[in-house]
Amino acid sequence: RVTRAVLGPYFSWRFNLKADPQPDFPAPYIVVSNHVTELDFLLLAVMFRKPMGFVVGQGLLRSRLLRFLLVWLYGSIAKQKGTADARTTMGMMRRLKEGRNVCLFAEGNTTFDGRTDDIPEATGSLIRAVGAGLITCRIQGGYFSLPRWGRGIRRGQTSCRVVNLYDKESLRSMDAEEINRLLVRDLHADAYQEQRIDPIAYQGKHLAEGIEHALYLCPSCLMQGTLRGTGNEVRCSACGMRTRYTPYGFFEGD
């Protein structure tokens, strides 16, 4: 609650966030969202006023400081990526029995290219096992606001929308594969396709810096590892190819 009160308004402004109101849905429930930025938990916390227990990757908890912050202060639940391990299931069930909602980012990783990544097959089994209602949410615009490869938040527009509500009785009648299919349908987003349909400028400084973490092959000379982003420009050190990365996320130039 303190984190949301202190940081929520600032990041809502920085992301120019348009969030749906918290749905009128019987608690406790699981919120499942696509994973776009490292700050997705704050975007969802703006929408859901009641604090949630977030499922986090086990790798984040190797640091003692992060373990203290995420587990002891925020009540997060550790999960081994790609598996439906029993400890994660039990941790989620404990939170739900306490009347607390749980949030899971189904892909387990933030997107590199703006498209929703594959959802592990174990996710459907996990959701079915805990026996709670399900709310699916889709975050859009976050990829251009804070790309995984980039630096700093760009000022544009990000939305956080409720896609569907599923009560526990409906989920009980589905198998794990059916639940996975509805997650794929509800969470799918393609940032570049959306940008082509409804272009939005994402303004900021040094827009191209760090882009070599995502693009490694020069399209002109086909050399690897020669691209560098400086300011708003991308250059190849081998052939001199140069292009400009625009606030719309596309390239201008060669």
Side-chain angles (χ1 to χ4, degrees):
R1 287 190 178 94
V2 172
T3 302
R4 184 182 64 229
V6 173
L7 299 181
Y10 171 74
F11 283 106
S12 292
W13 170 75
R14 287 293 284 124
F15 280 90
N16 192 18
L17 180 65
K18 311 296 180 187
D20 285 349
Q22 179 174 303
D24 183 14
F25 191 66
Y29 48 74
I30 304 171
V31 175
V32 180
S33 171
N34 59 326
H35 205 2
V36 187
T37 78
E38 296 292 352
L39 297 176
D40 288 347
F41 72 98
L42 267 174
L43 306 183
L44 285 173
V46 171
M47 179 193 296
F48 292 90
R49 309 299 294 176
K50 187 176 181 181
M52 296 185 286
F54 287 88
V55 178
V56 301
Q58 185 73 45
L60 283 175
L61 305 181
R62 291 173 186 162
S63 160
R64 289 183 180 180
L65 176 59
L66 279 178
R67 177 179 287 276
F68 173 75
L69 289 172
L70 295 174
V71 177
W72 295 106
L73 289 185
Y74 289 93
S76 298
I77 304 156
K79 184 180 187 301
Q80 194 65 39
K81 292 185 178 182
T83 65
D85 58 283
R87 284 185 302 174
T88 303
T89 306
M90 294 304 295
M92 292 174 68
M93 291 178 75
R94 276 197 301 272
R95 303 298 192 286
L96 293 164
K97 284 180 180 177
E98 293 166 359
R100 191 171 177 184
N101 301 321
V102 171
C103 181
L104 171 70
F105 295 104
E107 301 149 89
N109 268 310
T110 54
T111 176
F112 249 117
D113 61 4
R115 289 176 292 187
T116 303
D117 207 346
D118 294 336
I119 296 173
E121 293 179 7
T123 307
S125 302
L126 180 64
I127 290 171
R128 193 173 189 278
V130 298
L134 169 66
I135 298 177
T136 53
C137 295
R138 188 187 301 134
I139 298 171
Q140 294 174 281
Y143 174 75
F144 291 110
S145 294
L146 185 59
R148 180 170 175 172
W149 50 263
R151 299 175 185 173
I153 300 172
R154 294 98 193 271
R155 177 80 170 160
Q157 184 174 302
T158 302
S159 66
C160 194
R161 306 295 186 197
V162 172
V163 182
N164 270 312
L165 311 174
Y166 303 93
D167 58 48
K168 58 185 177 182
E169 288 76 22
S170 300
L171 295 174
R172 199 177 291 129
S173 67
M174 302 180 194
D175 60 28
E177 198 171 305
E178 288 175 304
I179 295 174
N180 265 1
R181 281 200 295 269
L182 67 85
L183 290 177
V184 170
R185 180 194 67 201
D186 288 0
L187 305 186
H188 177 73
D190 185 329
Y192 276 97
Q193 183 180 7
E194 293 155 11
Q195 189 72 332
R196 289 185 182 97
I197 295 170
D198 183 19
I200 296 171
Y202 290 81
Q203 304 288 352
K205 297 178 181 178
H206 314 298
L207 297 180
E209 289 191 5
I211 203 166
E212 61 271 13
H213 297 299
L215 303 180
Y216 66 92
L217 184 73
C218 174
S220 180
C221 67
L222 304 183
M223 291 290 288
Q224 296 185 21
T226 57
L227 295 179
R228 289 291 180 274
T230 305
N232 295 340
E233 195 172 71
V234 182
R235 299 182 183 182
C236 173
S237 59
C239 69
M241 185 280 302
R242 112 176 12 183
T243 185
R244 178 174 169 266
Y245 182 87
T246 74
Y248 292 91
F250 295 97
F251 295 108
E252 285 180 351
D254 291 349

